[in-house]
Amino acid sequence: MAENNKTTTSTELFSPQQIGEIFNRVAGHSTIAALSGQSPIPFAGVESYVFTMDGEAAIVGEGEAKPAGEAKFSKVLVKPLKVVYQHRLTDEFKYMADEAALPYLEAFMDGFAKKIARALDIMAFHGLNPATKEASELIGNNCFDKKITETVDFDAANADDNIQAAVNTVQGKDRYTNGLAMTPAFATAMGNIKEKTGSKVPLYPEFRFGGHPQTFGGMKADVNNTLAFGASTKAGDKNDEAIIGDFQNALKWGYTNFMKTELIEYGDPDGQGDLKNHNQVVLRAEAYIGWGILDNDSFVRIVKAVPAA
């Protein structure tokens, strides 16, 4: 009995190896993770330094003055935020043998990975609390919707031209494009473009029938409804349809090595009533993830205006 209690009341339901597996799964469900790299973040956060050197090197003759360059030095703080995912289940879970409880834990791990992955996208793209769809004061302006002001208006019939216009804008600022994030609606528009007027042959068949190509035009690509999450319905507002830019270098994200998991048996931890009164327990996981946009000029948003009613 003592051994069973140790298993079911432990606050470390996942081993360090399992924690690593959870975040390895994120890449399959998060656009941010799919298009960029990641590295562990200290619990207190990490400062990323951005050093820019404008202008070119100069030839200087003997005795001539050496011209000054226009170097800029700035920093971006990548500070992790706590994200919680929890759910209730019958208190019979406490008395299950390890082999019987394992399927629940595996399902929880998979669900946690997906929820955390979606949360990363929703917070980094839109600055929203995923649970409420409302702007988060903790995130503030640290999101694409507020920091990336360069936009291209979405034209479904010419979505490929929208991509080219965005690429031209980024490259015109001496930046690089290596990632393309798309909503399902944008991917559908790409699949509907024909080779020529009157033709039925699709120009981009890889987008047809719900296709989600992982590369396009030499860039990594990802289709995800997190880019359309919490879209505004207010006339005149502009919602994201795609984001193009340097996801690999101008964006940093990661997670701390600390993750708390626990089985809660008492109280009302989620506002749904006393656990004992309902013969329930709560399985909860907490993770700390952070991100930072290092260079605003490295991204362009393709947006669609909400029409007047």
Side-chain angles (χ1 to χ4, degrees):
M1 181 64 69
E3 183 65 23
N4 189 52
N5 286 339
K6 181 179 179 181
T7 300
T8 58
T9 61
S10 172
T11 60
E12 298 179 354
L13 295 176
F14 301 149
S15 68
Q17 291 78 12
Q18 289 171 314
I19 291 175
E21 182 181 359
I22 288 175
F23 280 98
N24 284 341
R25 294 180 184 178
V26 169
H29 305 285
S30 165
T31 294
I32 294 292
L35 300 182
S36 65
Q38 62 83 26
S39 59
I41 297 176
F43 189 80
V46 62
E47 290 181 335
S48 292
Y49 295 90
V50 182
F51 187 55
T52 304
M53 298 175 67
D54 295 329
E56 302 294 344
I59 297 175
V60 180
E62 187 67 30
E64 294 181 349
K66 301 175 181 63
E70 298 181 4
K72 299 177 182 178
F73 191 72
S74 60
K75 62 181 179 181
V76 176
L77 176 63
V78 181
K79 185 174 178 61
L81 298 176
K82 180 168 69 173
V83 182
V84 178
Y85 174 61
Q86 62 186 15
H87 75 100
R88 291 191 175 208
L89 63 161
T90 174
D91 61 4
E92 294 177 358
F93 180 79
K94 296 187 300 180
Y95 309 109
M96 289 180 178
D98 288 350
E99 59 270 19
L102 185 60
Y104 284 93
L105 295 178
E106 289 179 342
F108 182 74
M109 288 172 63
D110 186 60
F112 181 57
K114 292 176 181 178
K115 293 300 182 184
I116 294 301
R118 284 180 56 80
L120 171 62
D121 279 11
I122 293 166
M123 294 187 297
F125 284 142
H126 311 300
L128 302 178
N129 180 336
T132 64
K133 294 186 179 181
E134 296 178 353
S136 168
E137 293 183 1
L138 294 175
I139 296 175
N141 293 327
N142 184 29
C143 64
F144 281 80
D145 284 359
K146 293 182 179 179
K147 296 192 74 172
I148 309 305
T149 57
E150 196 75 63
T151 62
V152 171
D153 291 333
F154 175 56
D155 179 3
N158 298 285
D160 52 350
D161 290 337
N162 292 163
I163 294 176
Q164 187 61 61
V167 169
N168 292 345
T169 299
V170 174
Q171 292 182 343
K173 297 180 180 181
D174 273 343
R175 270 67 171 183
Y176 302 95
T177 54
N178 50 44
L180 168 61
M182 297 168 281
T183 65
F186 191 92
T188 297
M190 289 290 293
N192 288 336
I193 297 175
K194 303 301 189 290
E195 286 189 347
K196 58 184 179 180
T197 303
S199 171
K200 292 186 178 181
V201 180
L203 185 58
Y204 308 107
E206 62 268 38
F207 288 96
R208 296 283 287 176
F209 311 114
H212 292 180
Q214 296 182 350
T215 60
F216 181 75
M219 300 180 288
K220 285 187 176 181
D222 192 67
V223 180
N224 200 329
N225 62 12
T226 55
L227 197 57
F229 185 90
S232 173
T233 58
K234 182 180 178 181
D237 284 356
K238 294 185 176 182
N239 295 316
D240 295 326
E241 290 294 338
I243 298 177
I244 297 172
D246 188 358
F247 283 88
Q248 295 178 21
N249 302 299
L251 174 70
K252 183 179 180 65
W253 79 274
Y255 61 92
T256 68
N257 287 326
F258 172 80
M259 185 178 78
K260 179 181 179 182
T261 58
E262 59 184 326
L263 186 70
I264 303 174
E265 302 179 47
Y266 305 98
D268 183 12
D270 54 10
Q272 298 185 39
D274 183 74
L275 290 172
K276 284 292 185 181
N277 190 46
H278 291 83
N279 295 319
Q280 294 176 326
V281 294
V282 165
L283 195 57
R284 172 189 288 175
E286 298 178 355
Y288 291 81
I289 54 179
W291 67 92
I293 301 171
L294 305 184
D295 181 29
N296 298 351
D297 289 335
S298 292
F299 299 95
V300 171
R301 297 162 51 221
I302 299 177
V303 297
K304 180 180 180 181
V306 179

